[in-house]
Amino acid sequence: MMAPPHRSYVLVSLDRIASNYRNVCAAVGPGVEVMGVVKADAYRHGAREVSRTLVAEGARWLAVSSVEEGVTLRTAGIGARILVMAGFLPAEGEAIIAHNLTPTAISLDDVPALEELARGAGKPLAFHLKIDSGMARLGTRAEPAEIIATLRGLRAARLEGLMTHFASAADFTSQQTEQQAARFEVVHTALRDAGFAIDYVHLSSTNAIGYDRIHARHNMVRAGHALYGYVSPPRGAALKRLLDVKPALTWKAKILTIKDIPEGTLVGYGGTFRAPCAMRIAVLGAGYADGVFHRLSNRGKVIAAGQLTPILGTVSMDLTTIDISHALHLRPGDDVTLLGTEGAVTLDAQQIARVAGTISYNILSSISARVHRVYV
């Protein structure tokens, strides 16, 4: 294909996302529902397009972070069930009902609020209850007896799902995942024994799926990072990795100008790079406002003409300077790869994250909205 005419753009392979989804489904086996996590604009891959792809592959559930994200999918014509995972504000109740979203109760205080919302709407409202099993983030830490007493008062709202989230599923040097699963099971068993019929029970996301934490699988899993081609590297003696997923996104930026500079030239803000010899440099049309981490200044790399080459000087808001002394044929308007594969050379989000001192999720979700999305 011809290179798109944008200063900076990402190529998103919807076929790769579909393949990754099928890989997750095969890994968990029949009888386990795979919920596609498309929060944060599908990790910046484009929530509308990714959601359509997943639904076409048979996904019946999608997950977002906020009511606003759920409404965006509904207005785009997405008809699948949509779980709002990170709670809701009082003012968002009307949108939950109007757009047929499934809220998550992240505390017991949410349960009577959902009952009131359902009664006001005059129709049933299914919700999922999140248990804080040991991450100390969202979810109730209440004892089973208190949870049961709260749920007994429901008439219009209905507990449809029970969930938790693991803090350290890829860490096999810690017992935290086993402890969280055990704490969750105490609550799950108590609710079941109390007569609550729970349709969906889900603990596992990408890392728990990827490293076969089978004791935490139940009848639903939430696949996020895996859909976009990544599983976090394990710590310690991991179980066999089940997932064979591949990155779906390639990020490019165009060369805006090229300069030949003599030895001793200072490059960029603060003059943090001094040319050790005569060099040819290129200025790219992407900077930290596009998602190129400022911490990559003088330490990151890109791929130019099929070869890794260093970022020179400080990454600017809109621009990044690189060394192209090895590729004298490059001209303004040519593409350089910021993330992806070019020839035999690959630079993925996990590699970039190690240099930037962050995680691959952060690299992907930081690619800004002004970077054009091109679907292939």
Side-chain angles (χ1 to χ4, degrees):
M1 62 176 287
M2 291 183 59
H6 308 304
R7 293 167 66 101
S8 182
Y9 62 92
V10 294
L11 297 170
V12 179
S13 171
L14 297 175
D15 286 344
R16 183 66 58 80
I17 288 172
S19 175
N20 290 340
Y21 173 78
R22 292 193 296 269
N23 187 264
V24 174
C25 292
V28 299
V32 179
E33 193 95 29
V34 177
M35 177 185 288
V37 180
V38 293
K39 64 180 182 176
D41 197 26
Y43 296 37
R44 291 299 191 182
H45 291 64
R48 296 177 184 87
E49 293 79 3
V50 170
S51 295
R52 292 188 185 108
T53 298
L54 295 176
V55 170
E57 286 295 318
R60 299 192 301 171
W61 280 87
L62 301 171
V64 297
S65 180
S66 66
V67 171
E68 183 178 5
E69 289 183 338
V71 170
T72 297
L73 293 185
R74 283 287 185 251
T75 56
I78 304 301
R81 296 288 303 276
I82 298 175
L83 180 68
V84 179
M85 296 191 295
F88 57 93
L89 300 173
E92 294 176 322
E94 185 177 331
I96 290 172
I97 298 296
H99 295 280
N100 192 27
L101 304 177
T102 303
T104 298
I106 60 172
S107 74
L108 280 190
D109 291 339
D110 286 341
V111 175
L114 291 170
E115 173 70 6
E116 182 179 351
L117 181 61
R119 290 186 183 187
K123 61 181 181 180
L125 175 62
F127 69 93
H128 291 211
L129 175 64
K130 189 163 193 176
I131 305 301
D132 178 3
S133 58
M135 191 173 179
R137 202 176 60 169
L138 300 180
T140 179
R141 296 176 67 88
E143 292 300 317
E146 184 181 357
I147 296 173
I148 291 168
T150 301
L151 295 174
R152 291 281 192 215
L154 297 179
R155 295 295 180 270
R158 181 177 74 87
L159 176 65
E160 180 187 36
L162 193 68
M163 61 187 290
T164 194
H165 190 60
F166 292 133
S168 308
D171 186 355
F172 290 84
T173 69
S174 165
Q175 290 297 306
Q176 185 177 15
T177 300
E178 288 78 7
Q179 291 163 358
Q180 285 191 253
R183 163 63 182 156
F184 179 86
E185 284 306 319
V186 169
V187 178
H188 179 213
T189 299
L191 290 176
R192 187 178 58 214
D193 291 347
F196 289 94
I198 302 170
D199 296 342
Y200 299 104
V201 179
H202 47 114
L203 300 80
S204 295
S205 53
T206 286
N207 290 334
I209 301 165
Y211 295 112
D212 202 18
R213 300 274 198 176
I214 194 166
H215 62 283
R217 185 167 295 167
H218 288 275
N219 68 346
M220 176 179 273
V221 297
R222 303 181 302 271
H225 214 29
L227 298 179
Y228 311 108
Y230 293 91
V231 179
S232 297
R235 182 181 299 173
L239 300 172
K240 180 182 178 181
R241 177 171 156 175
L242 291 184
L243 297 179
D244 179 23
V245 293
K246 294 178 174 58
L249 180 148
T250 297
W251 186 7
K252 302 274 190 178
K254 284 196 166 42
I255 295 174
L256 300 180
T257 190
I258 293 172
K259 297 176 182 290
D260 291 305
I261 60 173
E263 179 182 350
T265 300
L266 299 178
V267 176
Y269 281 120
T272 60
F273 178 83
R274 183 186 295 272
C277 58
M279 303 176 71
R280 176 165 288 190
I281 64 174
V283 180
L284 307 180
Y288 58 76
D290 302 283
V292 180
F293 274 56
H294 191 268
R295 289 199 64 185
L296 295 176
S297 302
N298 287 313
R299 64 173 74 178
K301 295 182 185 296
V302 302
I303 308 174
Q307 182 174 318
L308 286 171
T309 192
I311 292 172
L312 307 179
T314 303
V315 174
S316 305
M317 182 180 291
D318 312 297
L319 307 166
T320 301
T321 303
I322 64 169
D323 179 14
I324 59 164
S325 301
H326 69 285
L328 301 182
H329 64 283
L330 288 176
R331 294 291 182 266
D334 288 344
D335 281 337
V336 167
T337 301
L338 306 182
L339 187 161
T341 297
E342 195 176 302
V345 181
T346 295
L347 187 61
D348 67 27
Q350 290 177 339
Q351 292 170 291
I352 296 170
R354 283 193 288 271
V355 177
T358 184
I359 57 176
S360 53
Y361 299 74
N362 190 191
I363 297 297
L364 294 174
S365 63
S366 294
I367 301 174
S368 78
R370 77 175 184 177
V371 176
H372 291 263
R373 270 65 179 171
V374 178
Y375 295 94
V376 295

